[in-house]
Amino acid sequence: MSVIDHENYFTSLPREYYLDEDRYTNELARVWGQQRIYAGHVSQIPKTGDYFTFEVGTENILVVRDGGDVRAVHNVCRHRGLQLCNQPTGRVGRRIVCPYHSWSYGLDGKLLKATRQDDGEFFDYKDFGLFPIHVSIWQGFIFVSLAEVAPAPVDSMIDEKATADMAVLDPTRLKIAHEITYYADANWKLLLENGVECYHCPSVHPEFCVSLDAQEMSDYYEEDYIGDLVQGLVIPVKRELESLSMDGHYVSKKLLGEFGRGADVPDDFGAGFMTQPGYCWGGFHPDYGMVASTLPISATRTKMVCWWFVHEDAEEGVDYNVDELVKLWDITNIQDLHIQERQQVGLTSQRYVPGPNSPSQEPGIRAALRKYLEMMGEPS
């Protein structure tokens, strides 16, 4: 029997799972080092040589546009270990040049020139390219994997309905309107558990519940949630409203995809995706979308990066106002992270023992933690 399953009920994980640094190090290898991780969107690197970087645990990842391809490599020179690109975004041109000793690499990571050392003179260039990282692109969203052997492509994991619903929005024709990074003194799995249930929504998120259909969200986790590495996601809006916003109305005048071309908007339209156990979610509505990616920093600290997407032709100040665009999710994110920090403090108590979770309101926790335990090599 697993650590979460009991005779008549299930719980969250034991106390030490949220505190132990050795376990956290093991998680980086077994979970974060194996699954698909959301990296970004193709709009962030439109031209050859454009790049962005991001961190997962101790690893800094460089994602770069190479013609029609998107590449990802470990952002570490093979000579003396310098971090090649030290800015979150930028442009390298046709090759990546180390600023320390000018070793240069192709955008595919192959070593092109080791200064004053010809290929084959002392070593073969082919043996010292940048370490590659697997890339999978679904609907314009970039996912990477640090695993030795690439996991399945993302489009093979997400069901056809989720893919079709997302395609309605022309997701390759989105742009990022705003980005916020939040930090929480909480274990990353607390953010995962909180994100796969809506039991807490009425008490923690009164603003969110103005437009969110909280009961339908709970029904989704009970009936449709599958606990897979990548899956589709719908964040349901009350049927009489237009979008997930402070008042339920559109926050961008320029609608996405087919809706911007005059197609009728179904009452219950929503689209998106989710990764787990390493947790990311994206929720999209007719006028905008938001993607939030949680990334581990330590056993007791996590960051969450959020991007708000609008139509690529939408103009700030004309079609949307950034403050209104981000307001609902910003309030909700702050509320969630505050709760998880309080929860982290509480479970440091020697008296903390996880209590029974609700089979109808919190089944997503059981599914997500079973996947986590499976990846950790523990009974699930």
Side-chain angles (χ1 to χ4, degrees):
M1 184 178 290
S2 76
V3 295
I4 66 172
D5 289 308
H6 305 267
E7 186 174 355
N8 295 315
Y9 61 89
F10 74 95
T11 69
S12 296
L13 297 162
R15 172 179 178 272
E16 63 270 16
Y17 279 64
Y18 306 97
L19 302 173
D20 187 76
E21 287 289 350
D22 289 339
R23 171 168 287 277
Y24 168 74
T25 300
N26 201 17
E27 289 170 349
L28 291 180
R30 287 180 170 268
V31 176
W32 294 95
Q34 297 299 316
Q35 73 166 83
R36 288 288 182 189
I37 302 168
Y38 178 77
H41 187 261
V42 292
S43 63
Q44 294 173 250
I45 44 173
K47 298 179 181 178
T48 293
D50 289 346
Y51 76 83
F52 64 84
T53 64
F54 72 106
E55 292 182 348
V56 179
T58 59
E59 302 305 316
N60 191 282
I61 298 168
L62 174 64
V63 180
V64 62
R65 170 71 72 174
D66 181 12
D69 295 318
V70 174
R71 314 279 191 183
V73 294
H74 287 269
N75 189 18
V76 180
C77 182
R78 294 297 309 279
H79 176 214
R80 299 266 294 278
L82 192 79
Q83 189 176 87
L84 293 164
C85 298
N86 66 347
Q87 298 299 315
T89 62
R91 182 170 172 77
V92 293
R94 292 287 177 178
R95 58 178 60 194
I96 303 165
V97 180
C98 178
Y100 197 4
H101 299 96
S102 299
W103 282 34
S104 63
Y105 303 87
L107 300 181
D108 59 1
K110 292 179 181 177
L111 179 61
L112 301 178
K113 181 65 177 177
T115 311
R116 300 187 183 92
Q117 298 179 83
D118 293 333
D119 189 7
E121 182 181 5
F122 304 110
F123 62 92
D124 294 331
Y125 281 10
K126 64 180 177 59
D127 296 330
F128 287 89
L130 302 177
F131 287 111
I133 293 170
H134 306 293
V135 173
S136 180
I137 299 176
W138 175 77
Q139 303 282 343
F141 299 101
I142 305 166
F143 298 81
V144 301
S145 174
L146 299 167
E148 291 290 329
V149 178
V154 171
D155 61 8
S156 72
M157 300 184 193
I158 297 184
D159 64 62
E160 292 182 6
K161 183 181 185 308
T163 297
D165 287 345
M166 199 70 206
V168 169
L169 302 177
D170 288 350
T172 59
R173 297 192 62 194
L174 299 173
K175 69 177 181 181
I176 296 172
H178 198 64
E179 176 181 334
I180 298 177
T181 299
Y182 306 88
Y183 293 89
D185 289 325
N187 184 277
W188 65 269
K189 296 185 293 299
L190 295 183
L191 278 69
L192 166 66
E193 292 174 26
N194 179 80
V196 295
E197 55 94 348
C198 206
Y199 196 18
H200 71 283
C201 289
S203 54
V204 178
H205 303 309
E207 298 87 355
F208 199 43
C209 289
V210 169
S211 56
L212 174 76
D213 190 327
Q215 183 56 56
E216 190 172 334
M217 189 82 249
S218 291
D219 290 345
Y220 167 80
Y221 284 123
E222 183 178 14
E223 299 167 8
D224 302 312
Y225 181 80
I226 56 177
D228 211 346
L229 291 173
V230 186
Q231 67 178 70
L233 172 69
V234 174
I235 301 178
V237 172
K238 292 175 181 175
R239 290 177 180 269
E240 69 273 16
L241 301 178
E242 295 175 322
S243 187
L244 193 67
S245 64
M246 293 295 291
D247 59 6
H249 296 307
Y250 291 139
V251 289
S252 178
K253 297 176 185 176
K254 199 163 193 66
L255 301 187
L256 307 180
E258 294 180 10
F259 303 132
R261 297 190 289 271
D264 291 336
V265 179
D267 288 342
D268 59 350
F269 181 83
F273 62 87
M274 178 190 298
T275 71
Q276 58 188 312
Y279 183 52
C280 171
W281 81 95
F284 287 80
H285 305 280
D287 57 330
Y288 85 103
M290 196 278 291
V291 175
S293 181
T294 64
L295 296 166
I297 297 175
S298 73
T300 58
R301 189 161 171 80
T302 305
K303 74 176 177 180
M304 183 169 74
V305 186
C306 297
W307 299 268
W308 282 261
F309 290 85
V310 295
H311 191 285
E312 64 180 1
D313 294 333
E315 295 183 40
E316 182 180 352
V318 177
D319 298 304
Y320 67 93
N321 174 279
V322 166
D323 290 342
E324 291 304 312
L325 178 71
V326 308
K327 190 173 185 178
L328 180 62
W329 271 117
D330 186 43
I331 289 171
T332 303
N333 293 337
I334 291 170
Q335 290 167 338
D336 274 333
L337 296 179
H338 177 63
I339 285 289
Q340 278 120 54
E341 290 189 328
R342 288 181 62 176
Q343 187 181 9
Q344 183 74 41
V345 171
L347 59 78
T348 61
S349 168
Q350 295 289 342
R351 298 299 295 168
Y352 169 70
V353 178
N357 287 330
S358 167
S360 66
Q361 298 297 305
E362 298 168 296
I365 293 177
R366 176 166 49 189
L369 292 183
R370 281 177 171 172
K371 178 60 69 174
Y372 163 79
L373 291 168
E374 175 190 325
M375 296 185 76
M376 292 295 289
E378 300 178 39
S380 59

